């Protein structure tokens, strides 16, 4: 039960920001790219979608087959498959969907957590053993382990062989920050910006100044929260609970904690992280759980997940940089919403690349079913301007009172700000779900006071070391 609860917490962390900020026409898929299949069993697999294995580029009726492994059904991918096959009569796209076994008695969030765990375990095992699909949804998978073991194709090599591909149509800074070393092994199709929304009116009333253009640390946030607390019972942050804050800390310092496959959890760096997180709550600066009235929160942990949500934020809110452990971010942090890698063992790499290229096209990137900010610059600009036009002519179909929507001039300024934030994106936030799960499981005993920071850090160190050496 404890494991299920923690997996549910991980699912909450993957879902919460999108649920908080999703107000647009984008598909309500979970951030992290929970793509799904077409609801069919994998070729040669069992009834719940487990494939037997090797990516062989199987010929079917004279067609080459590209197998794509994803988590669950998604309109964007289904539409893309249909349109792609209409244009490429010699290529068939086969979707493998991963679901936990039926009849487990689980439902809702617990089932989602079980599905996610199954996907991560199944794909990691298959690909490391030299099997797996041709195209792999890489969100939540141990990308660094895949790259270190030469399991993914360097996509720059495929780009170099394709004179028809216009790399300039994509955000160059997002591509560069998505690299591992000098190679690009995973292609982001869309992304989100890790920002927070700050209530400028409440900050002004409290006579507190925070520079929205400068990075700041959680320690600095504590100072601001303490001032707010002294002025009344107002929460400094909304939709933030203790364990997800640890998740954030680990992602901020992932290179130091798990760099080069050498875990560093048994360290003052990590012990101080745990202590600082606990102190934030022990001092009453953040509430454990969720507030029912977001209007009382000075800051809301809601990043930029789609164009509509980015532009329809209430007029009294502005975007601020998200606090980090060090307070020294080099560029705006971002996360890939959907990201695909090509299996280095695949026999249909050119065809797999052709499908990725189609997913990055103007046509598909402009789809209202694509969740996140499109990687295609033109598609992002188009979506932002469509929202502006709908706000100006009063046709925006959102469950938001019209008097709460920004006016046209404010929206134009927001577009400029969002474009600036995108251009400054330079820190890819990613981590290994298994490492996070281990850390969150053991952190519970420190949070409750059952074990010391030293005991917990050693337990995490031992478990992560064992996992990374598997």
């Amino acid at each position: 039960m404890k494991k299920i609860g923690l997996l549910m917490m991980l699912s909450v962390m993957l879902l919460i920001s999108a649920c908080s900020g999703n107000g647009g026409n984008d598909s309500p898929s979970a951030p992290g790219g929970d793509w799904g299949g077409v609801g069919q069993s994998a070729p040669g697999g069992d009834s719940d979608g487990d494939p037997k294995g090797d990516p062989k580029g199987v010929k079917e009726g004279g067609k080459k087959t590209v197998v794509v492994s994803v988590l669950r059904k998604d309109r964007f991918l289904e539409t893309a498959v249909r349109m792609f096959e209409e244009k490429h009569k010699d290529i068939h796209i086969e979707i493998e969907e991963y679901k936990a076994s039926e009849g487990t008695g689980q439902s809702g969030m617990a089932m989602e957590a079980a599905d996610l765990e199954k996907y991560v375990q199944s794909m990691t095992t298959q690909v490391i053993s030299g099997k797996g699909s041709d195209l792999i949804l890489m969100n939540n998978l141990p990308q660094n382990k895949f790259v270190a073991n030469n399991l993914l194709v360097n996509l720059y090599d495929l780009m170099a062989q394709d004179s028809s591909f216009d790399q300039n149509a994509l955000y160059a800074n997002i591509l560069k920050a998505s690299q591992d070393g000098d190679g690009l092994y995973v292609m982001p199709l869309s992304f989100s910006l890790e920002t927070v929304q700050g209530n400028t009116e409440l900050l002004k009333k409290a006579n507190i100044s925070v520079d929205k253009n400068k990075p700041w640390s959680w320690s600095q946030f504590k100072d601001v929260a303490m001032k707010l607390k002294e002025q009344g019972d107002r929460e400094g942050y909304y939709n933030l609970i203790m364990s997800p804050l640890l998740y954030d800390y680990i992602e901020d310092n992932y290179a130091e904690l798990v760099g080069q496959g050498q875990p560093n959890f048994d360290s003052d760096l990590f012990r101080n992280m745990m202590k600082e997180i606990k102190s934030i709550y022990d001092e009453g600066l953040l509430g454990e759980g969720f507030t029912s009235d977001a209007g009382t929160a000075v800051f809301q942990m809601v990043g930029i997940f789609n164009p509509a949500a980015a532009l329809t934020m209430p007029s009294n809110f502005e975007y601020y940089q998200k606090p980090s452990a060090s307070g020294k971010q080099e560029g705006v942090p971002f996360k890939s919403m959907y990201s695909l890698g090509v299996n280095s063992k695949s026999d249909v790499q050119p065809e797999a690349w052709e499908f990725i290229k189609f997913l990055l096209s103007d046509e598909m990137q402009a789809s209202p079913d694509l969740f996140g900010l499109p990687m295609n610059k033109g598609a992002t600009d188009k979506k932002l301007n469509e929202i502006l036009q709908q706000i100006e002519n009063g046709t925006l179909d959102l469950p938001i009172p019209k008097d709460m929507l920004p006016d046209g001039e404010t929206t134009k300024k927001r577009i400029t700000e969002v474009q600036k934030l995108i251009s400054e994106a330079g820190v890819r936030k990613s981590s290994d779900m298994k490492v996070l799960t281990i850390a969150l499981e053991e952190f519970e005993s420190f949070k409750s006071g059952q074990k010391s920071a030293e005991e917990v850090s050693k337990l995490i160190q031992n478990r992560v070391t064992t996992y990374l050496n598997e």
Side-chain angles (χ1 to χ4, degrees):
M1 291 298 293
K2 179 180 178 183
K3 184 176 182 181
I4 290 295
L6 285 161
L7 284 168
M8 288 175 65
M9 184 176 291
L10 277 169
S11 292
V12 169
M13 287 187 287
L14 292 171
L15 290 166
I16 185 173
S17 296
C19 293
S20 301
N22 187 9
N25 297 323
D26 299 275
S27 169
S29 305
D34 289 353
W35 269 2
V38 184
Q40 57 196 29
S41 298
D46 59 27
S47 59
D48 68 354
D50 283 338
K52 287 182 178 177
D54 299 301
K56 294 296 184 184
V58 182
K59 302 263 184 188
E60 181 178 293
K63 297 182 179 182
K64 284 192 175 181
T65 296
V66 176
V67 181
V68 187
S69 287
V70 293
L71 189 55
R72 67 176 63 87
K73 204 169 190 177
D74 178 272
R75 284 181 305 187
F76 174 74
L77 186 60
E78 284 188 298
T79 302
V81 168
R82 186 183 70 252
M83 295 174 64
F84 179 82
E85 290 186 342
E86 288 175 356
K87 296 184 177 187
H88 300 81
K89 302 296 185 182
D90 58 337
I91 303 175
H92 172 62
I93 305 296
E94 189 78 53
I95 307 299
E96 285 177 352
E97 181 179 18
Y98 283 72
K99 288 184 178 180
S101 299
E102 301 294 338
T104 60
Q106 299 171 355
S107 61
M109 196 70 73
M111 179 60 80
E112 285 202 22
D115 287 347
L116 181 59
E117 183 180 33
K118 177 179 178 180
Y119 181 75
V120 173
Q121 290 180 343
S122 299
M123 289 310 305
T124 301
T125 300
Q126 290 169 27
V127 179
I128 288 179
S129 66
K131 301 178 180 180
S133 57
D134 304 293
L135 273 174
I136 307 161
L137 176 69
M138 288 298 299
N139 298 78
N140 304 308
L141 295 180
Q143 181 174 326
N144 55 346
K145 183 181 287 190
F146 280 32
V147 172
N149 287 281
N150 300 314
L151 303 176
L152 299 174
V153 174
N154 185 349
L155 299 177
Y156 283 146
D157 292 340
L158 297 179
M159 291 182 196
Q161 299 166 16
D162 188 348
S163 60
S164 68
F165 181 67
D166 182 11
Q167 188 174 327
N168 293 324
L170 309 180
Y171 289 107
N173 55 314
I174 301 291
L175 282 182
K176 182 175 177 58
S178 298
Q179 293 179 185
D180 288 272
D182 294 327
L184 180 70
Y185 298 90
V186 173
M187 175 62 76
L189 303 181
S190 63
F191 59 94
S192 66
L193 298 179
E194 294 281 289
T195 61
V196 298
Q197 297 178 5
N199 190 319
T200 53
E201 287 183 2
L202 294 181
L203 283 169
K204 187 174 181 180
K205 287 180 181 178
N207 197 28
I208 293 175
S209 176
V210 177
D211 191 335
K212 70 174 190 175
N213 296 310
K214 289 185 178 179
W216 56 322
S217 68
W218 283 107
S219 294
Q220 290 172 304
F221 167 77
K222 281 179 64 177
D223 294 337
V224 171
M226 187 64 75
K227 291 177 183 177
L228 292 168
K229 184 181 179 183
E230 290 169 354
Q231 296 184 34
D233 190 21
R234 178 178 291 128
E235 294 190 39
Y237 234 114
Y238 164 64
N239 83 9
L240 187 64
I241 56 180
M242 191 183 298
S243 292
L245 185 51
L246 177 69
Y247 176 107
D248 214 59
Y249 266 61
I250 293 174
E251 283 202 326
D252 279 342
N253 295 272
Y254 198 75
E256 291 81 6
L257 291 172
V258 199
Q260 306 300 315
Q262 301 296 322
N264 188 36
F265 288 94
D266 185 13
S267 63
D268 288 337
L269 169 69
F270 185 67
R271 284 189 280 271
N272 289 336
M273 283 185 196
M274 292 194 295
K275 291 174 182 177
E276 183 167 37
I277 291 169
K278 194 169 186 299
S279 72
I280 289 175
Y281 291 90
D282 288 347
E283 294 170 26
L285 304 180
L286 289 177
E288 180 81 49
F290 303 91
T291 176
S292 59
D293 182 10
T296 66
V298 178
F299 293 103
Q300 300 184 41
M301 193 167 66
V302 180
I304 300 178
F305 289 92
N306 62 55
L311 301 183
T312 56
M313 182 173 64
S315 298
N316 60 320
F317 278 81
E318 290 188 4
Y319 286 110
Y320 289 76
Q321 294 203 28
K322 189 175 181 179
S324 65
S326 67
K328 298 177 181 178
Q329 295 277 18
E330 294 182 5
V332 176
F334 72 93
K335 284 187 177 181
S336 297
M337 294 282 92
Y338 296 140
S339 57
L340 288 175
V342 178
N343 193 330
S344 62
K345 303 294 184 183
S346 171
D347 291 334
V348 287
Q349 293 179 20
E351 290 77 15
W353 166 247
E354 200 67 31
F355 187 54
I356 290 178
K357 187 170 69 171
F358 180 69
L359 294 171
L360 291 169
S361 67
D362 294 348
E363 185 177 22
M364 288 311 304
Q365 290 275 295
S367 168
D369 294 326
L370 176 66
F371 190 85
L373 297 169
M375 267 298 292
N376 184 302
K377 293 184 288 188
T380 297
D381 290 343
K382 180 181 178 181
K383 287 188 175 184
L384 289 170
N385 283 297
E386 284 176 351
I387 300 300
L388 170 62
Q389 292 173 10
Q390 290 169 7
I391 287 175
E392 288 182 328
N393 59 30
T395 60
L396 187 64
D397 185 19
L398 287 177
I400 301 175
K402 293 194 184 302
D403 60 352
M404 290 185 65
L405 289 172
D407 58 26
E409 285 305 309
T410 301
T411 305
K412 289 177 184 177
K413 291 178 182 177
R414 286 250 173 94
I415 288 176
T416 300
E417 182 178 13
V418 169
Q419 290 170 331
K420 179 175 181 289
L421 288 169
I422 293 174
S423 71
E424 294 172 350
V427 181
R428 181 187 66 188
K429 299 288 288 289
S430 64
S431 52
D432 187 328
M433 179 192 166
K434 182 64 176 178
V435 172
L436 291 171
T437 302
I438 291 170
L440 295 181
E441 285 176 353
E442 299 299 343
F443 177 71
E444 291 295 305
S445 59
F446 172 68
K447 185 174 76 171
S448 63
Q450 295 175 345
K451 294 178 183 176
S452 67
E454 288 72 19
E455 290 175 301
V456 169
S457 63
K458 290 181 186 298
L459 285 169
I460 295 173
Q461 176 77 10
N462 291 337
R463 290 186 61 190
V464 171
T465 300
T466 299
Y467 161 67
L468 292 176
N469 289 332
E470 289 176 349

